């Protein structure tokens, strides 16, 4: 009887523990999806809802911008010019946890056609973006992201 009770308690603890990551994962996914919704709406007015004050952004051209205010300034600039009307749609979203308050999300996405400032036309381009998220209170917030263009293998 004692073994049965111990087994039931262990099973209950195991189920409660496994439910936590799925709730956390859902919250991380929601945060990342909020970023893409803002990207596609070309309005980052609610970025404080899904980013930290010290958000760092690394763009596909290797530029790095520090702090939410500066990142938003850059995003408003590019979304008001060459990214105006461009969409970026999630194809795959993976989440891994580095601890109870840290997560990494990796997203592959597909962007609609645009012409970058260097005059290059980008058609049906795939990107991969890595997000580092921190749990602040009860919310998961993006503290860093890096966006990279997925290059076609040589010969294609």
């Amino acid at each position: 009887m004692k073994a049965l009770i111990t087994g039931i308690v262990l099973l209950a603890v195991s189920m409660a523990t496994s439910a936590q990551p799925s709730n956390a994962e859902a919250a991380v996914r929601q945060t990342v999806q909020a970023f893409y919704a803002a990207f596609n709406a070309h309005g980052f007015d609610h970025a404080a809802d899904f980013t930290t004050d010290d958000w760092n952004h690394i763009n596909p051209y290797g530029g790095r911008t520090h702090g939410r205010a500066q990142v938003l300034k850059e995003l408003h600039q590019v979304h008001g010019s060459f990214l105006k009307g461009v969409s970026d749609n999630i194809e795959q979203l993976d989440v891994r946890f580095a601890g109870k308050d840290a997560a990494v999300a990796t997203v592959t996405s597909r962007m609609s056609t645009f012409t970058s400032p260097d005059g290059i036309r980008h058609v049906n381009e795939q990107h991969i973006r890595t997000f580092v998220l921190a749990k602040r209170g009860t919310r998961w917030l993006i503290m860093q992201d890096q966006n990279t263009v997925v290059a076609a293998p040589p010969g294609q």
Side-chain angles (χ1 to χ4, degrees):
M1 183 68 157
K2 190 175 182 179
L4 179 62
I5 292 172
T6 301
I8 292 172
V9 169
L10 287 174
L11 180 62
V13 168
S14 171
M15 289 173 64
T17 304
S18 66
Q20 254 182 337
S22 63
N23 290 340
E25 182 176 335
V28 168
R29 287 177 176 278
Q30 184 177 20
T31 299
V32 171
Q33 290 165 342
F35 170 88
Y36 281 92
F39 183 106
N40 291 332
H42 306 287
F44 289 87
D45 295 339
H46 299 285
D49 294 340
F50 57 87
T51 63
T52 61
D53 286 333
D54 60 347
W55 176 22
N56 274 268
H57 169 67
I58 301 170
N59 69 44
Y61 304 104
R64 182 176 178 193
T65 308
H66 303 273
R68 183 190 304 133
Q70 291 302 311
V71 172
L72 291 176
K73 182 178 176 182
E74 177 183 328
L75 291 176
H76 287 301
Q77 187 177 45
V78 298
H79 282 266
S81 60
F82 72 96
L83 290 181
K84 188 175 189 172
V86 173
S87 62
D88 192 5
N89 297 298
I90 295 172
E91 293 182 332
Q92 185 174 343
L93 168 56
D94 300 316
V95 176
R96 296 178 63 206
F97 290 91
K100 65 179 182 142
D101 295 331
V104 176
T106 305
V107 174
T108 52
S109 64
R110 186 78 52 184
M111 290 187 72
S112 61
T113 301
F114 69 96
T115 302
S116 55
D118 58 6
I120 296 174
R121 188 161 193 236
H122 302 262
V123 179
N124 197 32
E125 191 170 72
Q126 188 177 44
H127 286 231
I128 188 164
R129 189 184 302 260
T130 301
F131 294 92
V132 177
L133 295 94
K135 188 173 183 185
R136 303 277 168 91
T138 59
R139 300 184 313 155
W140 285 93
L141 301 174
I142 297 166
M143 65 182 297
Q144 182 148 334
D145 76 286
Q146 177 174 351
N147 187 15
T148 305
V149 175
V150 176
Q156 284 190 351

